[in-house]
């Protein structure tokens, strides 16, 4: 033992063991064995993904004409029977002149307000600024929703408001715009003299939505047979080839009913989720960014596969939806908003509450199987009761604002709150546990 080498090795071993012990104690003091997630507010949807085949009561527009066709109605636009759909011109130059005259008339109508300096300068600058902000928001909303047919009007309105602001602030004068308007009037007069008018009109054979594109599926399903479609019928429509679309006499079609339909196939499990559901919301991301309300009108089940042919009725229409036929489809059964809590964090615990009776005495009451979560508050965890109407994709949607009846049912000091650190994993959990 007097050997210096042995003493040195022994001292080193003791020092290493001491460091390991101290490190282990530090680890124990910091490690809680808990995994937490922050409670965040969100909206989630219970939905079904499938493919839809769109069915309309469509009538082809057939006509003979000689010349250049100039459409006057946008896709998805409403028309009455006999309403003008297009004009026929003798040449492309005449058609272009007609369109240019229409644009000039529209611009002159917008700029007329700038001709009167007194009227413009008396405008409220603050009000003009507010209108500009609203118009920019409307433009962004149209771009996001895919309503491109309205972008031109929104842009022109914004340009007019900006011009008014320029005059009010003195950056420009009404004389500048008066000169521009005079140039537009001169251009219009020249076009009127040089261009020939239309040589004919093409009108709608029936009232409804005008759709310019032809895809060959116009007569694939008779409108009166929609509710009789089976699973095999819908699959045949989804997988079938379209008919011929090369017909020079066909200029478009009219969707004669304002109601249109979507046929799709859903699984047996999804049919169970649709039980007693009448109204749903539809998303077709490649056709439109808008959500479309729909009504379930028929479900025809296949006894062999358990699948169902689901028939949906819609009434909303725009230019993007007018051209849609076979589309990836999301059927939103219901949507829920609230604080999302991992399903693994939900516990059912007994809660002891102390209440005061009519005589002023403190009474202990035990509530069994209370639904709640453990939340980390500083160095302790607390059990808080939660109220949830739905669980979607593994997350319970919990309320943070309780109704009067729910507040009466609350047996913990409070319910879950936004940004709470919710315990998802841990052992030996109980209310008040020190970490």
């Amino acid at each position: 033992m007097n050997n210096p080498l042995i003493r040195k090795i022994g001292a080193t071993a003791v020092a290493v063991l001491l460091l390991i012990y101290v490190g282990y104690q530090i680890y124990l003091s910091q490690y809680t064995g808990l995994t937490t997630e922050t409670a965040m507010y969100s909206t989630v949807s219970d939905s079904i993904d499938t493919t839809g085949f769109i069915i309309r009561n469509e009538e082809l527009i057939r006509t003979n004409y000689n010349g250049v066709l100039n459409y006057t109605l946008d896709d998805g636009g409403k028309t009455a029977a006999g309403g003008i759909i297009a004009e026929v011109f003798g040449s492309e130059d005449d058609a272009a002149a007609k369109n240019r005259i229409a644009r000039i008339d529209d611009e002159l109508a917008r700029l007329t307000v700038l001709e009167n300096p007194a009227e413009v300068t008396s405008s409220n600058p603050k009000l003009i600024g507010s209108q500009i902000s609203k118009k920019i928001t409307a433009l962004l909303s149209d771009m996001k929703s895919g309503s491109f047919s309205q972008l031109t009007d929104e842009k022109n309105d914004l340009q007019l408001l900006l011009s008014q602001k320029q005059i009010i602030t003195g950056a420009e004068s009404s004389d500048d715009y008066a000169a521009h308007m005079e140039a537009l009037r001169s251009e219009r007069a020249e076009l009127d003299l040089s261009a020939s008018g239309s040589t004919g009109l093409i009108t709608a054979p029936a009232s409804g939505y005008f759709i310019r594109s032809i895809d060959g599926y116009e007569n694939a399903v008779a409108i009166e047979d929609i509710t009789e479609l089976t699973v095999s019928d819908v699959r045949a429509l989804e997988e079938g080839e379209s008919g011929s679309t090369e017909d020079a006499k066909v200029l478009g079609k009219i969707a004669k009913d304002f109601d249109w339909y979507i046929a799709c196939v859903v699984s047996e499990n999804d049919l169970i989720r649709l039980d007693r559901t009448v109204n749903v919301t539809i998303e077709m991301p490649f056709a439109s960014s808008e959500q479309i309300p729909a009504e379930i009108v028929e479900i025809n089940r296949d006894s062999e596969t358990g699948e169902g042919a689901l028939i949906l009725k819609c009434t909303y229409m725009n230019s993007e939806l007018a051209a849609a036929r076979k589309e990836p489809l999301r059927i939103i059964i219901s949507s829920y908003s609230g604080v999302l809590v991992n399903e693994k964090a939900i516990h059912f615990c007994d809660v002891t509450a102390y209440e005061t009776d009519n005589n002023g005495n403190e009474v202990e009451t035990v509530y069994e199987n209370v639904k709640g979560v453990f939340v980390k508050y500083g160095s302790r965890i607390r059990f808080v009761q939660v109220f949830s109407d739905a669980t979607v994709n593994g997350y319970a949607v919990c309320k943070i604002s309780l109704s009067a009846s729910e507040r009466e049912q609350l047996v913990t000091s409070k319910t879950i709150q936004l940004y709470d650190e919710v315990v998802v994993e841990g052992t030996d959990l109980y209310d008040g546990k020190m970490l």
Side-chain angles (χ1 to χ4, degrees):
M1 289 298 293
N2 293 325
N3 190 317
L5 180 59
I6 294 176
R7 288 199 302 270
K8 187 175 183 180
I9 292 173
T12 301
V14 171
V16 170
L17 290 173
L18 183 61
L19 286 173
I20 292 173
Y21 175 77
V22 171
Y24 179 67
Q25 293 300 319
I26 293 174
Y27 169 77
L28 288 179
S29 67
Q30 297 297 318
Y31 178 67
T32 62
L34 302 179
T35 301
T36 63
E37 289 183 1
T38 303
M40 302 297 292
Y41 191 89
S42 184
T43 298
V44 293
S45 299
D46 184 13
S47 61
I48 298 169
D49 291 326
T50 182
T51 300
F53 183 88
I54 296 173
I55 303 166
R56 313 177 190 89
N57 185 11
E58 297 166 329
E59 180 177 343
L60 296 176
I61 304 170
R62 299 178 184 273
T63 184
N64 290 315
Y65 67 94
N66 293 314
V68 177
L69 195 65
N70 185 46
Y71 287 96
T72 59
L73 195 63
D74 292 328
D75 263 347
K78 291 182 180 180
T79 181
I84 298 174
I85 293 172
E87 297 175 315
V88 181
F89 290 89
S91 68
E92 292 186 3
D93 289 340
D94 290 338
K98 171 70 174 182
N99 290 331
R100 177 57 183 161
I101 288 173
R103 290 196 299 271
I104 288 174
D105 288 342
D106 183 65
E107 187 173 359
L108 286 173
R110 294 175 187 275
L111 294 177
T112 300
V113 67
L114 302 178
E115 278 190 306
N116 188 343
E119 182 178 338
V120 176
T121 53
S122 64
S123 301
N124 187 330
K126 186 176 180 180
L127 178 60
I128 293 289
S130 175
Q131 291 174 332
I132 289 173
S133 297
K134 289 180 180 178
K135 194 58 64 177
I136 291 174
T137 301
L139 265 171
L140 294 174
S141 177
D142 287 343
M143 294 176 66
K144 182 179 179 181
S145 65
S147 301
F148 300 118
S149 59
Q150 301 181 33
L151 283 179
T152 300
D153 288 339
E154 298 286 5
K155 183 204 72 170
N156 291 336
D157 289 343
L158 176 61
Q159 189 172 16
L160 178 61
L161 289 169
L162 291 171
S163 298
Q164 287 180 282
K165 186 174 182 181
Q166 289 288 87
I167 294 175
I168 292 172
T169 58
E172 294 178 346
S173 70
S174 294
D175 292 339
D176 298 328
Y177 292 98
H180 175 60
M181 293 176 69
E182 187 58 37
L184 288 175
R185 293 188 181 102
S186 297
E187 182 185 355
R188 190 191 190 288
E190 291 177 6
L191 290 171
D192 247 343
L193 290 174
S194 61
S196 300
S198 65
T199 59
L201 298 174
I202 296 174
T203 58
S207 61
Y209 294 110
F210 170 66
I211 303 171
R212 189 180 304 183
S213 60
I214 305 298
D215 57 20
Y217 289 105
E218 283 72 24
N219 300 310
V221 181
I223 201 73
E224 60 270 16
D225 297 334
I226 287 177
T227 57
E228 304 300 322
L229 291 174
T230 64
V231 170
S232 58
D233 292 335
V234 176
R235 291 209 185 281
L237 290 169
E238 293 174 355
E239 299 169 3
E241 297 294 331
S242 65
S244 174
T245 60
E246 297 180 1
D247 189 341
K249 294 182 179 180
V250 178
L251 306 181
K253 58 194 175 188
I254 296 292
K256 293 190 290 185
D257 297 329
F258 292 130
D259 294 337
W260 51 280
Y261 299 86
I262 304 173
C264 56
V265 176
V266 294
S267 68
E268 186 175 11
N269 289 335
D270 289 337
L271 287 178
I272 295 173
R273 296 165 61 195
L274 288 169
D275 186 39
R276 299 182 183 178
T277 301
V278 176
N279 297 307
V280 295
T281 302
I282 301 299
E283 288 182 350
M284 289 188 281
F286 295 109
S288 175
S289 60
E290 298 186 50
Q291 291 190 334
I292 307 155
E295 177 188 351
I296 297 175
V297 294
E298 195 68 49
I299 299 177
N300 296 321
R301 298 175 184 268
D302 188 305
S303 58
E304 294 183 2
T305 65
E307 296 176 315
L310 177 67
I311 312 300
L312 303 164
K313 183 174 74 173
C314 308
T315 56
Y316 176 78
M317 176 63 70
N318 61 22
S319 59
E320 290 76 30
L321 292 172
R325 184 66 77 182
K326 296 180 183 180
E327 296 293 336
L329 193 69
R330 172 162 289 178
I331 304 170
I332 301 174
I333 303 171
S334 53
S335 296
Y336 305 92
S337 295
V339 167
L340 300 189
V341 173
N342 194 310
E343 199 173 14
K344 295 186 294 184
I346 301 294
H347 296 270
F348 291 87
C349 300
D350 295 342
V351 175
T352 301
Y354 297 92
E355 302 168 347
T356 304
D357 62 16
N358 295 331
N359 298 321
N361 300 318
E362 191 174 65
V363 179
E364 179 181 296
T365 305
V366 177
Y367 297 92
E368 298 180 346
N369 294 321
V370 176
K371 183 179 181 180
V373 297
F374 289 97
V375 177
K376 181 182 175 183
Y377 292 115
S379 59
R380 290 181 181 272
I381 59 172
R382 292 292 185 186
F383 181 77
V384 296
Q385 186 177 0
V386 297
F387 295 84
S388 174
D389 291 332
T391 299
V392 181
N393 299 326
Y395 281 84
V397 185
C398 301
K399 300 178 181 180
I400 53 177
S401 298
L402 305 181
S403 64
S405 61
E406 288 167 339
R407 285 195 296 271
E408 290 179 0
Q409 300 172 41
L410 184 65
V411 296
T412 56
S413 59
K414 59 181 178 180
T415 188
I416 191 170
Q417 299 297 312
L418 193 60
Y419 307 125
D420 275 350
E421 290 294 320
V422 180
V423 178
V424 178
E425 293 181 2
T427 57
D428 191 28
L429 300 176
Y430 58 88
D431 185 52
K433 179 180 179 179
M434 289 288 295
L435 301 178

